[in-house]
Amino acid sequence: MATHDYVIANGTGAAVRSDLNNALAAIVSQNSSSTEPATTYAYQIWADTNTNTLKIRNSANSAWISISSAGGIGSANLGLATLAAPSFTGTVNFAGNVNMTGTGAIDVAAGTTAQRPTASNGMFRYNTDDNAFEGYANGAWGAIGGGGGATGGGTDQIFYENGQTVTTDYELTASTNAMSAGPISINSSVTVTVPSGQVWTIV
């Protein structure tokens, strides 16, 4: 590990040779050090061994920019997502649209009612308890239509199915009515709110 100011000072032959070797050592080691080089240059590479991160100096020579993930030195692809078949953990944020141009499908998150995440409007998932898609809007989870429609034996499309137990507080979406096939039970401390002028019919 070495850093260098990349200025070869005048000196004896042995001193100049030593200075050159130190400069070359800094180059081949990407200026690796736990502290930044004392003398910096625009577009200079620095392997920060303190955070195990590869960095490059910006064009104004005023700051370092990470070109690996934090701690990425020694990791495949410098700890960055690969172009083909990347894998992510945690939350991934997109500021723009997600445009899928292939012929595949989106495999959405699936889990039980108890495994629902901390919700925010616009969330979409598959509920394995209800065997149905659901989304979160207006402060509540609700079924999403079009998840397969009516089913039946062979090509029959006869049966629409719904759950039998309300496990989470729910309020009908404004200006809508609702219908469920009964019997329906509502768990203790759970509330179903039907706003004025709206109807929930259990058949």
Side-chain angles (χ1 to χ4, degrees), residues 166 172 176-181 184-186 192-194 198-202:
V166 181
L172 268 62
T176 65
N177 295 324
M179 181 174 66
S180 303
I184 297 291
S185 61
I186 302 175
V192 175
T193 302
V194 181
Q198 296 174 231
V199 176
W200 177 28
T201 302
I202 300 175

Side-chain angles (χ1 to χ4, degrees), residues 42-113:
Y43 306 114
Q44 181 179 14
I45 299 292
W46 169 38
D48 182 353
T49 59
N50 183 51
T51 61
N52 206 31
T53 305
L54 190 62
K55 301 178 179 180
I56 189 171
R57 198 72 174 168
N58 66 7
S59 60
N61 192 23
S62 59
W64 293 99
I65 302 170
S66 294
I67 54 177
S68 78
S69 65
I73 297 178
S75 301
N77 209 48
L78 293 176
L80 303 174
T82 57
L83 181 62
S87 179
F88 299 96
T89 58
T91 300
V92 180
N93 296 310
F94 296 91
N97 297 327
V98 178
N99 183 22
M100 297 181 63
T101 59
T103 58
I106 297 175
D107 189 359
V108 301
T112 66
T113 299

Side-chain angles (χ1 to χ4, degrees), residues 70-199:
I73 297 178
S75 301
N77 209 48
L78 293 176
L80 303 174
T82 57
L83 181 62
S87 179
F88 299 96
T89 58
T91 300
V92 180
N93 296 310
F94 296 91
N97 297 327
V98 178
N99 183 22
M100 297 181 63
T101 59
T103 58
I106 297 175
D107 189 359
V108 301
T112 66
T113 299
Q115 292 172 328
R116 285 170 173 165
T118 301
S120 61
N121 287 333
M123 282 188 170
F124 174 70
R125 69 193 293 269
Y126 183 81
N127 190 309
T128 55
D129 285 335
D130 299 335
N131 293 320
F133 293 103
E134 64 181 3
Y136 190 86
N138 195 30
W141 289 98
I144 293 178
T151 62
T155 59
D156 296 345
Q157 294 186 347
I158 305 297
F159 303 101
Y160 289 91
E161 299 180 350
N162 59 254
Q164 295 180 315
T165 305
V166 181
T167 61
T168 304
D169 290 349
Y170 186 78
E171 180 175 350
L172 268 62
T173 304
S175 301
T176 65
N177 295 324
M179 181 174 66
S180 303
I184 297 291
S185 61
I186 302 175
N187 282 354
S188 176
S189 301
V190 173
T191 300
V192 175
T193 302
V194 181
S196 177
Q198 296 174 231
V199 176

Side-chain angles (χ1 to χ4, degrees), residues 22-44:
N22 288 337
L24 292 172
I27 292 171
V28 299
S29 68
Q30 308 297 345
N31 298 292
S32 56
S33 175
S34 60
T35 57
E36 68 177 83
T39 303
T40 59
Y41 302 88
Y43 306 114
Q44 181 179 14

